[in-house]
Amino acid sequence: MAKDTPPRWDRRMQQRLARGEAAALGELYDRFASLVHSLAHRVLDDDDAADRVTREVFGHLWENPDMYDPKQGSMRSWVAKVTRELAVRRLRQTEAQAYEASGEDSAEKAEELEQKIRRASTAARADYIVRSMPAPLWNALELAYFQRRDYRQTAADLGVTEDEARRRLRLGLQLLSTANTQALDGSSPPGNGRPR
């Protein structure tokens, strides 16, 4: 959900980038490089390609700080969105070149490519959601999913009421379900706002 007043750090970072402060880019890199690389790797499944996309993302952020609108969401969300868009674009280009090189250029192959891109983008979005999820929600999901606890056992393990455990599980699952509803448009330039 967008906030009317973005965090102070996000506003200051955008202003510093707009002024061309190299130290701001370094600080942004320190804060978000692992997020960017892991999201790019999740889409591309290739370390070298993820490294290239990471460099592209920070180059894009450096050159286009005014594309970030603090009213649309956090800097972290914007960085993740730019990363997914650039990684999807790279995947689309790489796969299209591979199809052309193999001489396979059919509607079936094009649909196969789009399915692969959707799966990779959805997986990257889900990873981002999990990394950004509040700890109480993640802890409840971890107990329920990985340790196969029901909501009563989860409540007991977390020391909360059963109603609270159900609420945390429901909210966590609702957040994760949004990963599948993300619209894909790899042809548009990296934009602004919250992750879809």
Side-chain angles (χ1 to χ4, degrees), residues 133-141 143 154-155 157-175:
M133 189 176 287
L137 300 183
W138 170 244
N139 293 338
L141 286 176
L143 286 168
T154 298
D157 289 350
L158 293 175
V160 298
T161 66
E162 290 177 3
D163 285 342
E164 177 62 15
R166 278 196 305 264
R167 187 187 71 77
R168 289 180 186 185
L169 290 168
R170 184 174 50 255
L171 287 173
L173 290 172
Q174 286 172 340
L175 282 172

Side-chain angles (χ1 to χ4, degrees), residues 44 52-53 56 86-95:
L44 299 165
R52 285 191 296 276
V53 167
E56 287 176 33
L86 289 175
V88 165
R89 184 179 301 154
R90 172 67 59 112
L91 179 63
R92 184 173 273 125
Q93 290 169 347
T94 302
E95 293 294 322

Side-chain angles (χ1 to χ4, degrees), residues 9 13-21 24-33 35-36 53-68 74-83 85-86 190-192:
W9 186 90
M13 178 55 66
Q14 180 193 27
Q15 292 165 352
R16 291 173 62 202
L17 287 170
R19 286 193 302 262
E21 288 184 33
L25 182 62
E27 187 178 330
L28 192 69
Y29 183 87
D30 290 345
R31 181 172 262 190
F32 297 124
L35 171 69
V36 169
V53 167
T54 300
R55 288 189 298 272
E56 287 176 33
V57 166
F58 286 99
H60 177 81
L61 301 176
W62 176 250
E63 293 171 3
N64 302 286
D66 294 333
M67 288 184 76
Y68 170 63
S74 70
M75 177 75 71
R76 177 184 175 87
S77 295
W78 180 59
V79 169
K81 182 175 188 268
V82 169
T83 301
E85 289 174 354
L86 289 175
N192 177 17

